């Protein structure tokens, strides 16, 4: 079945870096766009970044632009999120999700991984 | 402050019907498909409605979606205690600040 598994979360000091991974299985990874979405403790969903199926196009939320980099390795069925200059307000559960594209736009996210917790604290 | 506006909470009794609204503008809902996500306590979000009004396989027909202009609505009939969850709308956005946006979420209580 289609499955996404995130890893790489943990506790990190402000200003440091962390790289998250999302390993996909059960579908042809190289033909789908992928998203990262985060959820701070007790808060709602915040879209973070999107990468096209071939990695040629990337998009970011203003809150992470210039600090985070989304990338993918289609040979390894893996999505990444490189997070630099981390701040306490980056503390959240980070989810990866498959992006469904059609009719000229990105339409919905399905499925989602189980999430990985990133805590930025000194 | 979310780009899409949802009521923070709604409630109804078991067996009743509830609707959750999602308001946006022409940069997002007005020109793109809307999807809805259900997040049960302690779990990851799950797709509930896509393409404004379509249900993925396995989602009961008690759940429905609609869109009109720059607003969308999620409807749930025959409420069950298991429907207690946070519900989010989402859509693509053509503004410069974000490519995808979510509503702030609505907590559904089944009393």
């Amino acid at each position: 079945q289609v499955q996404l598994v995130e890893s790489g979360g943990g506790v990190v000091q402000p200003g440091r870096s962390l790289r998250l991974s999302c390993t996909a299985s059960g579908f042809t990874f190289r033909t789908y766009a992928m998203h990262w979405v985060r959820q701070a403790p007790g808060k709602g969903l915040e879209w973070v970044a999107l990468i096209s199926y071939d990695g040629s196009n990337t998009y970011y939320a203003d809150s992470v632009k210039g600090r985070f980099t989304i990338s993918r390795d289609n040979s390894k069925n893996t999505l990444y999120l490189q997070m630099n200059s981390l701040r306490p307000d980056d503390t959240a559960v980070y989810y990866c999700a498959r992006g469904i594209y059609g009719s000229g736009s990105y339409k919905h996210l399905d499925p989602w991984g189980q999430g990985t917790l990133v805590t930025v604290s000194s | 402050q979310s780009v899409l506006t949802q009521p923070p909470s709604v409630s109804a009794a078991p067996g009743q019907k509830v609707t959750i609204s999602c308001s946006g503008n022409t940069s997002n809902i007005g020109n793109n498909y809307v999807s809805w996500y259900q997040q049960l306590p302690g779990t990851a979000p799950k797709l509930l409605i896509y393409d404004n009004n379509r249900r993925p396989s396995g989602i009961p027909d008690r759940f429905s979606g609609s869109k009109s202009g720059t607003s969308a609505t999620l409807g749930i009939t025959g409420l069950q205690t298991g429907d207690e969850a946070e519900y989010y709308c989402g859509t693509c956005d053509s503004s410069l600040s974000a490519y995808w946006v979510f509503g702030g979420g609505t907590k559904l209580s089944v009393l």
Side-chain angles (χ1 to χ4, degrees):
Chain A
Q1 75 281 19
V2 177
Q3 191 172 14
L4 299 169
V5 178
E6 301 93 337
S7 60
V11 180
V12 61
Q13 294 179 327
R16 305 297 290 263
S17 299
L18 200 63
R19 189 179 81 159
L20 305 183
S21 299
C22 167
T23 303
S25 59
F27 67 101
T28 308
F29 180 73
R30 67 179 183 275
T31 65
Y32 286 89
M34 295 294 296
H35 297 259
W36 285 103
V37 177
R38 68 184 181 183
Q39 186 170 35
K43 302 296 184 182
L45 302 176
E46 180 188 13
W47 175 79
V48 172
L50 163 66
I51 187 167
S52 60
Y53 70 99
D54 60 357
S56 61
N57 294 295
T58 56
Y59 308 89
Y60 299 92
D62 279 352
S63 58
V64 307
K65 204 172 293 183
R67 299 187 300 122
F68 289 12
T69 301
I70 187 172
S71 63
R72 64 192 298 159
D73 186 338
N74 286 344
S75 69
K76 296 182 178 180
N77 287 352
T78 302
L79 172 73
Y80 302 102
L81 186 67
Q82 178 66 43
M83 304 184 293
N84 299 332
S85 303
L86 282 162
R87 309 186 302 219
D89 62 356
D90 293 318
T91 295
V93 174
Y94 285 74
Y95 297 101
C96 63
R98 187 176 66 173
I100 306 302
Y101 184 89
S103 304
S105 70
Y106 291 96
K107 299 203 297 175
H108 52 275
L109 284 66
D110 180 57
W112 299 54
Q114 86 289 349
T116 187
L117 177 61
V118 173
T119 303
V120 184
S121 173
S122 54
Chain B
Q1 193 78 358
S2 302
V3 173
L4 305 180
T5 301
Q6 298 181 233
S9 63
V10 295
S11 62
Q16 297 299 303
K17 172 184 177 179
V18 71
T19 60
I20 297 173
S21 61
C22 175
S23 178
N25 57 44
T26 54
S27 295
N28 41 65
I29 291 178
N31 284 286
N32 293 288
Y33 288 105
V34 176
S35 48
W36 289 89
Y37 304 86
Q38 178 192 57
Q39 186 175 32
L40 296 168
T43 69
K46 180 179 80 171
L47 179 67
L48 197 62
I49 296 288
Y50 68 98
D51 289 1
N52 304 327
N53 56 16
R54 301 184 68 176
R55 285 176 286 104
S57 64
I59 302 299
D61 59 5
R62 299 188 299 105
F63 295 90
S64 64
S66 65
K67 182 186 122 171
S68 178
T70 59
S71 293
T73 302
L74 173 69
I76 311 173
T77 60
L79 279 171
Q80 303 174 359
T81 55
D83 296 332
E84 281 209 339
E86 198 81 24
Y87 292 86
Y88 297 91
C89 57
T91 189
C92 200
D93 194 297
S94 57
S95 68
L96 295 177
S97 62
Y99 202 83
W100 185 270
V101 289
F102 289 104
T106 299
K107 169 63 177 175
L108 168 63
S109 296
V110 181
L111 306 172

